[in-house]
Amino acid sequence: MITGSQCRAARALTDLSRERLAISADVGVETILRFERKLDKPNDDEVFALQSALERGGAVFIPDNGGGIGVRLKFSKSEANVSTYLRMKAV
């Protein structure tokens, strides 16, 4: 499962607003805001939906392998932007 910090970083990398992510993941904008600010943790289904939506947008989540957790792009920045646009447009 991803953390709120990973969610925020993945949104930045994929150029997704909270509003667009909320639509794609079928999760409330306020839920995302509170998760990213470490004020609350959504239920497991909501976290899974957020992670899945961000992965569809090109984010790859890196588990803790001794070097810390992280997130990176699956594609180059321009490929991720096109991929995100096409996937979010379909929503």
Side-chain angles (χ1 to χ4, degrees), residues 15-80:
D15 289 325
L16 274 178
S17 67
R18 282 189 189 102
E19 292 77 14
R20 299 288 284 174
L21 178 57
I23 292 167
S24 180
D26 195 25
V27 172
V29 174
E30 185 69 21
T31 299
I32 297 168
L33 177 73
R34 294 183 60 77
F35 182 45
E36 291 180 346
R37 292 186 178 172
K38 301 177 187 174
L39 299 173
D40 198 10
K41 184 176 185 299
N43 67 50
D44 288 349
D45 290 339
E46 291 171 320
V47 175
F48 180 75
L50 290 168
Q51 181 173 342
S52 296
L54 290 163
E55 288 172 340
R56 286 191 305 273
V60 175
F61 294 96
I62 303 164
D64 187 0
N65 57 6
I69 61 172
V71 62
R72 67 174 184 82
L73 283 176
K74 180 177 183 178
F75 315 106
S76 70
K77 183 99 169 145
S78 61
E79 290 171 327

